[in-house]
Amino acid sequence: MRIAILTSGGDCPGINATIRGVCKTAINHYGIEVIGIHSGFQGLLTKDVEVLTEKSLSGMLNMGGTMLGTSREKPFKKKGVTTDIDKPALIARNFKELGLDCLVCIGGNGTQKTAAKLFDMGLNVVSVPKTIDNDIWGTDISFGFDSAVSIASEAIDRLHSTASSHRRAMVIEVMGHKAGWIALYSGMAGGGDVILIPEIPYDIHRIGETLLARIKKGKPYSIVVVAEGILTDGKKRAGEYIAQQIEYETGIETRETVLGYVQRGGSPTPFDRNLSTRMGGHATELIVEGKFGRMITLKGDAIDSIPLCDVAGKLKLVTEEHDLVVQGRRMGVCFG
Ligand code: F6P
């Protein structure tokens, strides 16, 4: 058997550990040949590939980024297309010419959609969910999320002392795209006083009241964790917008920090390394069993898989019933 693997969309910690999980299981356990495709679906259009060996996988378990490179190439996207190239047809041709029995796609929501469409075209595909945003439907957790939460939580911890020294409100903007998972988990782990996520509408007066009430209670500083995807004036970044609104509303001196790509860089946490290893290994199992058109999932502590057609086009968002929101509210955290 000969399989290929690619990574597509934004990078995150744990991708290399997943590639290693897929490939080492394939090479060591099943004697399957593995080809790495460079730069996501872009590399499948140009046949930019390399043969992966145990040697090329050395040192990859704890390495950030993706050894294969990535791109946001969407071969099925019609909008703004200026060439006459039929990209899906070209991919199908290259798949055949490379002699592939299956393609493993590691990626986020966009990648799952593309993988589902390739499967519908008749290509053997399996996929692994990857994103710091944790917003892929059908899996409890995607690898990369735990690492991003760990980085964001540490950053929030560090803001407490400077906020306290200057008696300020500190706003920290974290990633998450349209979902509030990183803000919720890092905000709660970091002892945030206000946590704003796209899923829960906020009222700036209520946020102001929360911060002023804290001062009355003898707590002269506050930490406000803001997801990048919350509603703003549409011009400013979420963190900057909320910091300005807080100053207007309360007169409290306020500063903002945008954590940015630090959340996506560097080594995966031990949790993410093991999740990646398990998901990668199980992806190879699916291929050997001939179960194509499926995405690997984590349900509770069990690795499973679901049909790609069930995942594509959906988002997994935070709900107000989530236990961290419920417990946070009971403890006085303002969610807006
Ligand atoms: O999906 C991961 C993510 O880091 C989001 O949290 C963020 O909105 C986006 O990617 C940034 O994308 P880009 O790498 O294209 O700037």
Side-chain angles (χ1 to χ4, degrees), residues 10-11 72 131-133 175-177 182 228 261 264:
D11 74 337
R72 294 205 186 268
T131 173
I132 62 166
D133 302 337
M175 281 185 167
H177 204 220
I182 299 177
E228 65 176 354
Y261 294 90
R264 259 166 51 177

Side-chain angles (χ1 to χ4, degrees), residues 59-138:
M60 284 299 133
L61 180 58
N62 61 353
M63 195 69 80
T66 163
M67 64 182 282
L68 294 174
T70 185
S71 70
R72 294 205 186 268
E73 169 65 41
K74 293 186 173 80
F76 290 93
K77 197 175 168 195
K78 295 249 172 13
K79 228 164 61 186
V81 172
T82 49
T83 66
D84 292 334
I85 301 170
D86 181 345
K87 290 183 177 179
L90 181 56
I91 286 180
R93 193 161 73 231
N94 289 344
F95 186 99
K96 208 169 165 199
E97 281 177 13
L98 288 166
L100 302 180
D101 294 297
C102 182
L103 172 68
V104 180
C105 301
I106 302 175
N109 279 306
T111 307
Q112 305 307 329
K113 241 189 205 171
T114 303
K117 286 184 177 163
L118 290 177
F119 179 65
D120 286 345
M121 278 172 53
L123 303 191
N124 290 342
V125 174
V126 304
S127 75
V128 186
K130 162 240 69 170
T131 173
I132 62 166
D133 302 337
N134 201 35
D135 59 353
I136 301 178
W137 193 89

Side-chain angles (χ1 to χ4, degrees), residues 176-192:
H177 204 220
K178 291 179 181 155
W181 294 105
I182 299 177
L184 175 63
Y185 272 69
S186 65
M188 288 300 289

Side-chain angles (χ1 to χ4, degrees), residues 226-241:
V226 168
E228 65 176 354
I230 62 160
L231 205 64
T232 64
D233 62 356
K235 292 179 198 133
K236 297 186 191 74
R237 292 199 63 98
E240 186 189 2
Y241 179 72

Side-chain angles (χ1 to χ4, degrees), residues 207-275:
I207 296 169
E209 279 162 20
T210 304
L211 302 188
L212 291 171
R214 280 178 53 78
I215 294 175
K216 281 204 191 114
K217 282 188 220 159
K219 294 162 183 258
Y221 78 95
S222 294
I223 302 289
V224 179
V225 182
V226 168
E228 65 176 354
I230 62 160
L231 205 64
T232 64
D233 62 356
K235 292 179 198 133
K236 297 186 191 74
R237 292 199 63 98
E240 186 189 2
Y241 179 72
I242 291 296
Q244 281 183 0
Q245 294 288 311
I246 287 174
E247 263 193 356
Y248 291 146
E249 185 69 25
T250 63
I252 299 170
E253 192 177 28
T254 308
R255 294 284 189 271
E256 81 265 5
T257 301
V258 179
L259 203 50
Y261 294 90
V262 169
Q263 290 159 96
R264 259 166 51 177
S267 190
T269 57
F271 177 88
D272 272 340
R273 291 180 206 184
N274 290 333
L275 179 60

